[in-house]
Amino acid sequence: MTESEFLTVSDAIFRQIEIALDEVDFDVDTLCTGNVLEIEFEDASKVIVNRHAANQEIWLAARSGGYHYRLVDGQWRNTRGEGELFNDVAAAISAHAGEAFVFD
């Protein structure tokens, strides 16, 4: 995938996360600036999703740790173990919000 294609795909991922968060009832704020999507919760904790174009990876930072994801067979897979980006983002949001969150 070219860098341009990666940026287009990662923009869509950021939008998908923001749209899903707009549909929930708990208090969460999102801020997307450049390569970073910050998700801030009531207690001021954050989940941060950012793109690393040089490696064509999406990175996730949360209380549970930091994770890197690369597109493999149509899924964003954790590069250091088990896990899929959207499942792991949902788990991080649930942990920070104290409420269940899933992507439709």
Side-chain angles (χ1 to χ4, degrees):
M1 149 176 12
T2 68
E3 183 174 339
S4 178
E5 290 169 333
F6 173 76
L7 295 174
T8 299
V9 168
S10 57
D11 280 344
I13 289 169
F14 285 5
R15 278 192 306 279
Q16 185 175 350
I17 294 168
E18 288 179 297
I19 289 167
L21 287 169
D22 285 343
E23 296 174 359
V24 297
D25 290 331
F26 50 86
D27 188 22
V28 61
D29 294 314
T30 60
L31 175 63
C32 189
T33 54
N35 293 328
V36 179
L37 172 62
E38 290 185 10
I39 305 164
E40 186 170 359
F41 299 86
E42 270 187 276
D43 64 358
S45 67
K46 293 182 181 181
V47 169
I48 298 173
V49 182
N50 70 305
R51 61 180 161 213
H52 193 265
N55 291 357
Q56 293 193 349
E57 292 179 348
I58 304 292
W59 293 357
L60 169 65
R63 284 184 185 141
S64 59
Y67 309 92
H68 298 183
Y69 301 85
R70 188 172 296 131
L71 190 60
V72 177
D73 297 329
Q75 288 191 326
W76 289 93
R77 305 299 306 172
N78 188 322
T79 63
R80 298 179 182 161
E82 298 298 316
E84 187 274 332
L85 176 65
F86 288 102
N87 290 334
D88 293 352
V89 169
I93 290 169
S94 294
H96 282 257
E99 298 185 39
F101 176 82
V102 294
F103 288 96
D104 290 331

